[in-house]
Each structure stands twice: as structure tokens, then as C-alpha cells.
Amino acid sequence: MEDQFIHIDPEQVPPSPFTQIIQGFAGVMKQNDAEKYAWQKRCEEYEKQAKKLPQTNIVAEGKQKELIAIFHALYKVGYFPEISEKDFMQRVADMLGCPGMASYSGALYNFKTTYKYDEVFDNLLKVAKAEKIG
């Protein structure tokens, strides 16, 4: 029985242009994967380091409710459409080192009913106007 395939030593066959293109893409993809893997490792390392840092509250004493109102307003305006309000406030609380801000709804309701809500935004408006003029 005769072989149906021709036996050719692959070292003697020059690669076709299509093969070279595919090999080039494969090299680019491999390099891309290597870079992505290196960045993932670096991010994991930084996350571990960040978790070791002590979380300290950077908000002035008694100003958490005001910040809840401000961040709530920023969310409602639509600056953060890709995330739920609860997740957004959790991230804000984590960022500021104020875990109490994550349970914001009760504090926000109380803040709105004591007329301090308007006062906070009036103060922000005054500061904004002063910054615009100066």
C-alpha cells in the first residue's frame, strides 16, 4: 500500500507568508498575555500591601453625615451610572476609612429632615462662587 502523503522534512520547507503572519500574531498575543499576567501579579501584590495598611478615618469629626449627603447628590446627578448606589457608598466608605458611611440611608434621611441638607449645599455654593471669582 502506498502512502498518500508526501513526506517532506519541515526544515527544508520555507514558511509561507500566511504562516509568517499567523506566527507573528501568535507572538504578539503571547507577549500580550505575558504583560497582562505581570500586571495582574503586580496588582495582587499592591492589593495585599493596601490591605495591610491601617484604615484611618480621614473625615473631620461630625462631618460624615454631610459627606453622605454630598456623595448621595453626586450619585443622583449621574456621575457614577455603572454602579448601584449601595455599592458606590460602600466604596466611598472604604476610600475614606469610614465604615459607618456604608449604611447611609438612615443618616441621610435624618440629615434631610433637620434642614442641614440645604445648609451643606448652600455652603458649597458659597465656596464655589468664591473660587470662581478668586
Side-chain angles (χ1 to χ4, degrees):
M1 178 169 221
E2 287 187 36
D3 285 341
Q4 294 180 350
F5 300 104
I6 301 173
H7 296 285
I8 300 175
D9 187 6
E11 292 179 20
Q12 296 175 357
V13 177
S16 70
F18 182 73
T19 303
Q20 290 175 339
I21 290 172
I22 297 299
Q23 288 173 343
F25 281 135
V28 169
M29 294 304 294
K30 187 172 184 176
Q31 178 65 30
N32 187 14
D33 289 344
E35 289 174 6
K36 183 179 175 183
Y37 181 75
W39 282 110
Q40 285 175 336
K41 287 295 183 186
R42 184 178 280 178
C43 286
E44 289 172 5
E45 199 174 300
Y46 288 146
E47 286 173 0
K48 287 178 186 176
Q49 291 175 2
K51 287 180 182 179
K52 291 179 183 176
L53 294 174
Q55 267 195 338
T56 56
N57 183 349
I58 62 171
V59 179
E61 191 66 35
K63 299 295 183 179
Q64 288 185 11
K65 290 181 181 178
E66 293 178 13
L67 279 177
I68 287 172
I70 292 167
F71 281 111
H72 173 75
L74 288 173
Y75 181 82
K76 288 297 185 182
V77 168
Y79 286 119
F80 310 96
E82 301 296 322
I83 187 171
S84 71
E85 185 173 8
K86 181 178 176 158
D87 289 340
F88 170 69
M89 292 303 284
Q90 180 64 53
R91 288 187 185 186
V92 168
D94 293 343
M95 174 186 68
L96 297 175
C98 303
M101 287 180 66
S103 54
Y104 65 95
S105 58
L108 181 62
Y109 176 78
N110 291 337
F111 195 72
K112 284 181 177 181
T113 58
T114 61
Y115 302 105
K116 296 234 180 204
Y117 195 78
D118 293 333
E119 186 180 310
V120 167
F121 291 103
D122 289 342
N123 289 338
L124 287 174
L125 181 60
K126 287 177 190 174
V127 170
K129 284 183 179 180
E131 289 292 321
K132 187 175 179 182
I133 294 170

